[in-house]
């Protein structure tokens, strides 16, 4: 595209750092040699690759917002299909009284049990959402991608907030790895993916 002064503006320059990020991530996974996390790694990289393709086509074709809301949900399918973690959530202390009182479910608690499972042994502190947790994860991906993409066009702001979020996630992973002595595969995988992301985003900001 062209700016107000007539100078050329690269519309889809993000494909370059995106491709470098994928290559760096794959190289890190290959050198790590951890075959136990291969399924999680491949599903994460497949989702990232799909989102990279979506971002490139959006820059070129200028997708309407109705497609931008739908396609990120499709991109999360590899992650959701391979997800084998917990589907439970921890209820805030202030809200537990609305679910259980004196060891018995309240009216709201009984209503929630029609779609989820309230852990009565934990006095309403834990709720197992089951399949609704996967729906939540898919909707969260839509929110995260569009929360970043909505700043597209404001010079440096889109990549800037991505860099800040990436640094925060990397710092959290490093703290958890230091606390567990490096024996935390989920945080190790997250750090291995986040480090190349922070690097390429910083390069995109610079140029």
């Amino acid at each position: 595209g062209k700016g107000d002064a007539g100078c050329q503006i690269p519309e889809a320059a993000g494909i370059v750092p995106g491709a470098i990020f994928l290559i760096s991530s794959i190289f890190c996974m290959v050198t790590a040699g951890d075959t136990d996390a291969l399924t999680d790694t491949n599903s994460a990289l497949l989702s990232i690759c799909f989102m990279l393709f979506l971002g490139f086509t959006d820059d070129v074709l200028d997708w309407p917002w109705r497609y931008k809301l739908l396609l990120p949900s499709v991109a999360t399918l590899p992650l959701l299909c391979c997800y084998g973690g917990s589907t439970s959530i921890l209820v805030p202390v202030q809200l537990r009284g609305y679910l259980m009182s004196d060891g018995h479910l309240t009216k709201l608690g009984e209503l929630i049990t029609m779609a989820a499972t309230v852990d009565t042994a934990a006095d309403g502190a834990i709720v197992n959402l089951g399949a609704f947790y996967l729906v939540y994860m898919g909707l969260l991906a839509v929110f995260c991608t569009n929360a970043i993409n909505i700043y597209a066009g404001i010079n440096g702001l889109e990549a800037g907030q991505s860099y800040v979020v990436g640094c925060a996630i990397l710092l959290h992973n490093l703290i958890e790895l230091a606390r567990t002595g490096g024996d935390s595969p989920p945080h190790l995988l997250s750090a291995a993916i986040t480090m190349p992301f922070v690097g390429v985003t910083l390069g995109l900001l610079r140029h």
Side-chain angles (χ1 to χ4, degrees):
K2 292 186 177 181
D4 294 335
C7 58
Q8 294 289 333
I9 298 177
E11 288 282 349
I15 191 68
V16 177
I20 296 174
F21 164 75
L22 284 176
I23 295 172
S24 301
S25 299
I26 294 172
F27 179 77
C28 289
M29 300 308 169
V30 170
T31 55
D34 186 7
T35 57
D36 295 334
L38 196 58
T39 301
D40 294 335
T41 303
N42 289 339
S43 61
L45 291 179
L46 182 58
S47 293
I48 293 171
C49 187
F50 189 95
M51 290 306 303
L52 178 62
F53 174 74
L54 173 61
F56 173 74
T57 55
D58 179 40
D59 290 333
V60 175
L61 303 176
D62 194 16
W63 291 109
W65 272 101
R66 60 179 179 271
Y67 297 126
K68 294 179 184 180
L69 293 175
L70 175 63
L71 292 177
S73 300
V74 179
T76 60
L77 289 179
L79 283 176
L80 298 181
C81 291
C82 297
Y83 182 73
S86 174
T87 57
S88 299
I89 61 172
L90 187 65
V91 180
V93 177
Q94 298 83 352
L95 301 179
R96 295 173 187 176
Y98 293 102
L99 300 181
M100 290 194 67
S101 179
D102 298 328
H104 300 284
L105 289 172
T106 62
K107 293 294 184 181
L108 178 60
E110 293 176 353
L111 182 63
I112 291 178
T113 54
M114 298 176 63
T117 303
V118 179
D119 191 348
T120 55
D123 200 22
I126 300 175
V127 176
N128 189 350
L129 298 179
F132 289 102
Y133 189 85
L134 301 180
V135 176
Y136 156 75
M137 290 178 63
L139 294 177
L140 182 64
V142 174
F143 167 77
C144 291
T145 52
N146 287 287
I148 298 294
N149 190 52
I150 200 170
Y151 288 112
I154 305 177
N155 189 28
L157 188 57
E158 185 179 18
Q161 71 168 349
S162 300
Y163 177 75
V164 172
V165 172
C167 288
I169 295 174
L170 181 59
L171 178 62
H172 169 70
N173 288 321
L174 294 178
I175 292 174
E176 290 298 318
L177 287 172
R179 186 178 63 86
T180 59
D183 187 20
S184 181
H187 289 290
L188 189 60
L189 173 62
S190 178
I193 293 178
T194 308
M195 282 190 292
F197 174 77
V198 170
V200 298
T201 305
L202 185 61
L204 182 61
L205 274 173
R206 173 64 178 83
H207 295 285

